[in-house]
C-alpha cells in the first residue's frame, strides 16, 4: 500500500468529517527561527545535533515532560524539560496543520492533561519523533509528531519575537547612520533586508537618490515593506507650510520631539518622509532614541520608571471634524519575553506633547496629586534625556532623500524655518508594525543565517 496515498486519503476524509484522524507518513514542517540576540556559541550547537538522554528508540512513559539534552561542544548545558502538552500542541503534521492554509486543525483545549509519549525516536540528524498515548480523540496510535533541532532551540527560550536592538545617541548614530540607494532598495531584496535590519537595530534608516519630484516614490518605498496605512490624513500626505493649518506640522514653527497618532488605539509602526523640495533657511530634522532615554531612567530611578510605566496619559485629536482619543502609559514593556532575558525590554514609548489631552483617569483629585506630581517629575527627566544635545541626531533632509523610522521608538521633530525664504515639501506615509515585522521575518528566513540571529541555549532548569 502506498503510505503517501493513504495519508492523503485519510486527510481528505478527516476534513470532510467522515473519519477519525490517522497518520502514517508525512513531510515534516519545521518552525522558522525568530530573530533574537546573536550568541556565537549557538552556531556550534546547530552544527552538532543534540542528544536525548534516552536511547534512540524508547518505549512509552508516564512522565508529563520530555528531557532534551543540549550537551554539545561549547555548550555546557544540561537537559531542558518540555511539557508533553506543549509538544503535542506544536505538532505540525498535515493532520494537525492544514498543508495549504497552514492553519491549525485542532483546538488546544482538546488535548488531554494525561497526554504522554508512547514512543520517542531520535535520528542521527537530531530530528525527534514522538508517538502518543492518550492522544486527542480521533487520532489513532499511528499519529506521529516530528520536531527539529531548531524547534527545540526556539521552545527552550519561549521567546516573543525579540531582536537585537542598539540604543544610540548622536555620536553613535553619526558613525552608524546607514544611507541606501533608492534603486538598490527597490530592486534588491537583500538591500531591502539590510534596511529592515537597520530599522530593527536602530529604528532609523535613510534612502538617497530617490527620483526628484516623484510624488509617488514614497508609496513605492513603503510598499516594498507592506501595505500602507490609510488614515484620515490619507494614504500619503504632504508636510508643507500652509495658512490655517490643522496640524502644527503644517506650519513653519519649531516642532518639538514627538510621535505620530498616539490618539489611535494602534498607532503606526513606521513613518516615511520623502523630501520633494527644500530651499528654505532652517528646518533641519531632529531624531532621538526614546528607548535609550527611557531605559537609562528606569535603571537609575525605579520610582520614576514605575510612574512612566503605570501613570495613564490621554492623547487626542479634536479638529477638522475628527475626534480621536486614547489613554496609555508613557513606557510600555514587552508583555511576553524570552525566559532567558534578565529584564523586560521596552516595546513602545508614547511621547507627543502637542497632542496630549487633559489627564482623565488620574488628575490628582483623589490622592492629593501624589501620582500626578511623580509623573510630572518623571516626564520632565525623560524629556531632558531625549532633548539633550548629545542625544539629538540632527540633519537637513535634502531633495531626493527619504527617512524611515520606528514611530513607536524614535521621536522626531524639526527646527523652525523661514517660509518666505523658499519651499519645504515632504511627502509622508505610514505602515503598521505588523507589516514591517512580517516582511523582516520572511526575508530573514529566505536569505540565510547571516540575517537570522538566534537565541542562546538556556541554562539547566
Amino acid at each position: 500500500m502506498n503510505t503517501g496515498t493513504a495519508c492523503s486519503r485519510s486527510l481528505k476524509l478527516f476534513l470532510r468529517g467522515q473519519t477519525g484522524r490517522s497518520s502514517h507518513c508525512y513531510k515534516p514542517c519545521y518552525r522558522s527561527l525568530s530573530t533574537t540576540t546573536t550568541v556565537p556559541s549557538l552556531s556550534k550547537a546547530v552544527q552538532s545535533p543534540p542528544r536525548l538522554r534516552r536511547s534512540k528508540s524508547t518505549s512509552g512513559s508516564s512522565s508529563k515532560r520530555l528531557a532534551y539534552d543540549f550537551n554539545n561542544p561549547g555548550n555546557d548545558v544540561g537537559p531542558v524539560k518540555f511539557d508533553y502538552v506543549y509538544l503535542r500542541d506544536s505538532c505540525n503534521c498535515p493532520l494537525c496543520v492544514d498543508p495549504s492554509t497552514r492553519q491549525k486543525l485542532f483546538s488546544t483545549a482538546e488535548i488531554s492533561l494525561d497526554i504522554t509519549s508512547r514512543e520517542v525516536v531520535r535520528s542521527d540528524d537530531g530530528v525527534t519523533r514522538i508517538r502518543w498515548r492518550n492522544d486527542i480523540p480521533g487520532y489513532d496510535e499511528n499519529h506521529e509528531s516530528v520536531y527539529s533541532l531548531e524547534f527545540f532551540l526556539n521552545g527552550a527560550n519561549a521567546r516573543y519575537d525579540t531582536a537585537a536592538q542598539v540604543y544610540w545617541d548622536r555620536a553613535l548614530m553619526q558613525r552608524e547612520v546607514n544611507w541606501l540607494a533608492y534603486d538598490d532598495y527597490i530592486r534588491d531584496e537583500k538591500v531591502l533586508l539590510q534596511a529592515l535590519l537597520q530599522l530593527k537595530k536602530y529604528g532609523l534608516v535613510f534612502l538617497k537618490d530617490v527620483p526628484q519630484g516623484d510624488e509617488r516614490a514614497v508609496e513605492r518605498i513603503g510598499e516594498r515593506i507592506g501595505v500602507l496605512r490609510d488614515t484620515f490624513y490619507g494614504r500619503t500626505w504632504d508636510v508643507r507650510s500652509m495658512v490655517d493649518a490643522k496640524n502644527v506640522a503644517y506650519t513653519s514653527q519649531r516642532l518639538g520631539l514627538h510621535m505620530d497618532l498616539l490618539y489611535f488605539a494602534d498607532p503606526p509602526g513606521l513613518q516615511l518622509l520623502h523630501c520633494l523640495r527644500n530651499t528654505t533657511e532652517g528646518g533641519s530634522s531632529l531624531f532621538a532614541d526614546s528607548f535609550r532615554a527611557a531605559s537609562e531612567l528606569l535603571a537609575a530611578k525605579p520610582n520614576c520608571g514605575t510612574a512612566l510605566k503605570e501613570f495613564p496619559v490621554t492623547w487626542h485629536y479634536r479638529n477638522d471634524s475628527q475626534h480621536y482619543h486614547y489613554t496609555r502609559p508613557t513606557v510600555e514593556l514587552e508583555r511576553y519575553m524570552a525566559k532567558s532575558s534578565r529584564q523586560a525590554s521596552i516595546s513602545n514609548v508614547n511621547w507627543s506633547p502637542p497632542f496630549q489631552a487633559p489627564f482623565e483617569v488620574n488628575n490628582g483629585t483623589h490622592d492629593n496629586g501624589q501620582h500626578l506630581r511623580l509623573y510630572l517629575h518623571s516626564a520632565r527627566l525623560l524629556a531632558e534625556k531625549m532633548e539633550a544635545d548629545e542625544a539629538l541626531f540632527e540633519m537637513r533632509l535634502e531633495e531626493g532623500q527619504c527617512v524611515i523610522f520606528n514611530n513607536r521608538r524614535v521621536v522626531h521633530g524639526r527646527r523652525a524655518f523661514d517660509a518666505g525664504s523658499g519651499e519645504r515639501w515632504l511627502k509622508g506615509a505610514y505602515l503598521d508594525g505588523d507589516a514591517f515585522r512580517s516582511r523582516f521575518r520572511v526575508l530573514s528566513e529566505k536569505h540565510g543565517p547571516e540575517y537570522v540571529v538566534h537565541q542562546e541555549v538556556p541554562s539547566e532548569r
Side-chain angles (χ1 to χ4, degrees):
M1 181 180 186
N2 186 311
T3 55
T5 303
C7 181
S8 175
R9 182 184 302 116
S10 189
L11 175 59
K12 290 177 181 177
L13 289 173
F14 163 71
L15 294 175
R16 294 173 187 160
Q18 297 179 11
T19 185
R21 291 173 267 205
S22 169
S23 175
H24 297 280
C25 79
Y26 50 85
K27 182 179 180 180
C29 281
Y30 303 142
R31 176 186 293 181
S32 301
L33 286 173
S34 300
T35 54
T36 50
T37 306
T38 303
V39 178
S41 62
L42 181 61
S43 61
K44 299 179 181 178
V46 173
Q47 291 168 5
S48 304
R51 299 194 306 269
L52 283 175
R53 286 195 180 253
R54 309 178 185 194
S55 59
K56 284 191 175 182
S57 179
T58 61
S59 58
S61 168
S62 60
S63 172
K64 295 182 178 180
R65 297 193 293 174
L66 174 71
Y68 197 92
D69 192 351
F70 290 95
N71 187 19
N72 291 297
N75 291 294
D76 186 15
V77 180
V80 178
K81 295 181 178 179
F82 293 90
D83 197 296
Y84 280 124
V85 171
Y86 164 72
L87 293 173
R88 178 61 187 87
D89 189 59
S90 301
C91 182
N92 233 350
C93 84
L95 296 185
C96 293
V97 176
D98 184 274
S100 176
T101 67
R102 302 305 303 152
Q103 293 166 6
K104 205 170 177 179
L105 297 174
F106 67 93
S107 167
T108 300
E110 294 181 84
I111 300 173
S112 170
L113 290 173
D114 296 323
I115 187 79
T116 188
S117 63
R118 185 165 57 85
E119 182 181 49
V120 177
V121 178
R122 198 206 115 240
S123 304
D124 291 337
D125 60 2
V127 172
T128 299
R129 301 172 182 270
I130 300 177
R131 294 194 179 190
W132 301 99
R133 177 177 286 119
N134 302 322
D135 202 353
I136 295 172
Y139 287 86
D140 66 21
E141 63 181 12
N142 292 309
H143 174 233
E144 184 180 68
S145 302
V146 181
Y147 308 95
S148 65
L149 168 59
E150 288 82 359
F151 168 86
F152 284 106
L153 288 171
N154 283 346
N157 292 281
R159 60 179 173 271
Y160 176 66
D161 196 36
T162 55
Q165 291 182 333
V166 177
Y167 294 165
W168 54 267
D169 56 12
R170 179 178 61 187
L172 180 61
M173 185 50 64
Q174 285 175 340
R175 293 195 306 268
E176 299 293 328
V177 63
N178 200 347
W179 286 91
L180 301 173
Y182 169 84
D183 284 344
D184 294 338
Y185 171 91
I186 293 295
R187 297 172 182 172
D188 189 337
E189 278 192 346
K190 289 188 177 181
V191 175
L192 171 60
L193 180 54
Q194 190 178 347
L196 301 181
L197 189 60
Q198 183 84 0
L199 285 168
K200 271 284 189 181
K201 291 174 65 177
Y202 303 103
L204 184 64
V205 70
F206 294 89
L207 301 183
K208 61 183 179 180
D209 303 325
V210 182
Q212 293 193 18
D214 186 347
E215 296 184 34
R216 300 199 63 183
V218 74
E219 296 181 45
R220 292 192 292 274
I221 293 170
E223 288 171 345
R224 283 289 280 160
I225 300 173
V227 177
L228 298 185
R229 173 81 173 267
D230 202 347
T231 71
F232 66 85
Y233 290 110
R235 191 165 178 268
T236 63
W237 28 271
D238 298 293
V239 182
R240 60 203 312 181
S241 180
M242 62 179 66
V243 179
D244 296 326
K246 303 301 181 182
N247 188 308
V248 65
Y250 304 154
T251 70
S252 60
Q253 303 170 22
R254 177 187 179 275
L255 183 58
L257 296 177
H258 68 286
M259 293 155 171
D260 282 18
L261 309 192
L262 295 187
Y263 39 80
F264 279 26
D266 183 21
L270 295 183
Q271 182 171 169
L272 299 84
L273 291 171
H274 169 215
C275 182
L276 287 165
R277 200 159 299 129
N278 193 0
T279 59
T280 62
E281 295 179 5
S284 59
S285 298
L286 305 171
F287 304 96
D289 186 359
S290 72
F291 282 17
R292 176 180 179 270
S295 64
E296 289 179 354
L297 189 55
L298 265 61
K301 295 183 178 295
N303 286 345
C304 292
T306 299
L308 295 174
K309 290 183 291 184
E310 297 181 359
F311 192 84
V313 180
T314 300
W315 314 96
H316 71 166
Y317 180 88
R318 191 173 185 178
N319 199 352
D320 198 26
S321 301
Q322 306 288 339
H323 188 182
Y324 287 79
H325 179 280
Y326 204 81
T327 300
R328 47 177 35 101
T330 302
V331 175
E332 299 177 60
L333 302 182
E334 290 282 2
R335 293 182 61 192
Y336 309 106
M337 51 181 285
K339 290 184 178 180
S340 59
S341 298
R342 296 185 179 179
Q343 64 183 49
S345 59
I346 297 172
S347 60
N348 301 307
V349 168
N350 302 300
W351 188 263
S352 192
F355 298 97
Q356 187 174 326
F359 295 108
E360 294 183 346
V361 179
N362 186 342
N363 59 14
T365 58
H366 303 297
D367 60 0
N368 297 319
Q370 177 183 355
H371 290 91
L372 175 61
R373 289 176 175 272
L374 177 58
Y375 171 76
L376 172 59
H377 172 64
S378 306
R380 179 174 294 162
L381 293 178
L382 180 63
E384 289 173 355
K385 283 185 172 293
M386 292 189 295
E387 294 170 358
D389 287 343
E390 62 269 20
L392 286 175
F393 178 64
E394 181 173 352
M395 64 163 297
R396 176 185 168 92
L397 272 180
E398 302 291 355
E399 297 175 14
Q401 296 176 345
C402 179
V403 59
I404 310 174
F405 58 92
N406 183 340
N407 184 57
R408 308 308 306 278
R409 172 181 175 179
V410 175
V411 286
H412 67 288
R414 178 194 67 214
R415 302 284 187 196
F417 63 93
D418 181 3
S421 64
E423 182 181 9
R424 186 179 188 274
W425 178 17
L426 307 181
K427 196 80 171 178
Y430 297 118
L431 283 113
D432 286 327
D434 286 329
F436 159 65
R437 288 185 288 271
S438 172
R439 188 68 163 150
F440 178 76
R441 294 186 196 111
V442 169
L443 293 184
S444 296
E445 292 160 4
K446 179 177 180 180
H447 291 291
E450 64 269 26
Y451 291 106
V452 180
V453 289
H454 309 279
Q455 182 61 282
E456 65 180 341
V457 177
S459 57
E460 183 173 1
R461 59 179 181 267

